[in-house]
Amino acid sequence: MDASGRPTLDEIEERFIELVAGRLRRDEADRWAASWVMEDRIVWDDLSWWALNCLYGVDLPASDGGGYLHDDEQVREWLAELRKRRAM
């Protein structure tokens, strides 16, 4: 957490890492991100806001038949994109 009590970009990235590695359930990642996205008193930098919004909804079902709207490959791509943007 930073001085204001909100998660740092490192902590947000760590959620992606844990999710990709299977150590964090999708519903847990979604609830964690939702708690921050719904907090309207916080002003986020663009990258943190983008990353939180990727995590928020990561557990949405694709259909009644199962699976997720955003599959594991897309989550890995989001992590790669986050890392790419951080390096810029």
Side-chain angles (χ1 to χ4, degrees), residues 9 12-13 16 33 37 44-56 74-86:
L9 198 49
I12 296 169
E13 182 177 348
F16 276 100
V37 169
W44 297 95
D45 62 273
D46 290 341
L47 185 53
S48 295
W49 185 245
W50 171 82
L52 283 169
N53 276 281
C54 288
L55 287 172
Y56 180 38
Q74 185 163 20
V75 176
R76 285 189 293 275
E77 289 172 6
W78 286 337
L79 175 56
E81 179 68 19
L82 174 60
R83 288 175 168 166
K84 178 182 170 185
R85 290 184 185 190
R86 288 190 80 179

Side-chain angles (χ1 to χ4, degrees), residues 24-60:
L24 179 65
R25 292 191 333 253
R26 283 175 176 256
D27 63 318
E28 292 172 317
D30 172 75
R31 282 195 312 271
W32 180 82
S35 69
W36 295 109
V37 169
M38 302 304 249
E39 180 56 63
D40 60 353
R41 294 176 291 174
I42 298 175
V43 177
W44 297 95
D45 62 273
D46 290 341
L47 185 53
S48 295
W49 185 245
W50 171 82
L52 283 169
N53 276 281
C54 288
L55 287 172
Y56 180 38
V58 74
D59 65 340
L60 291 172

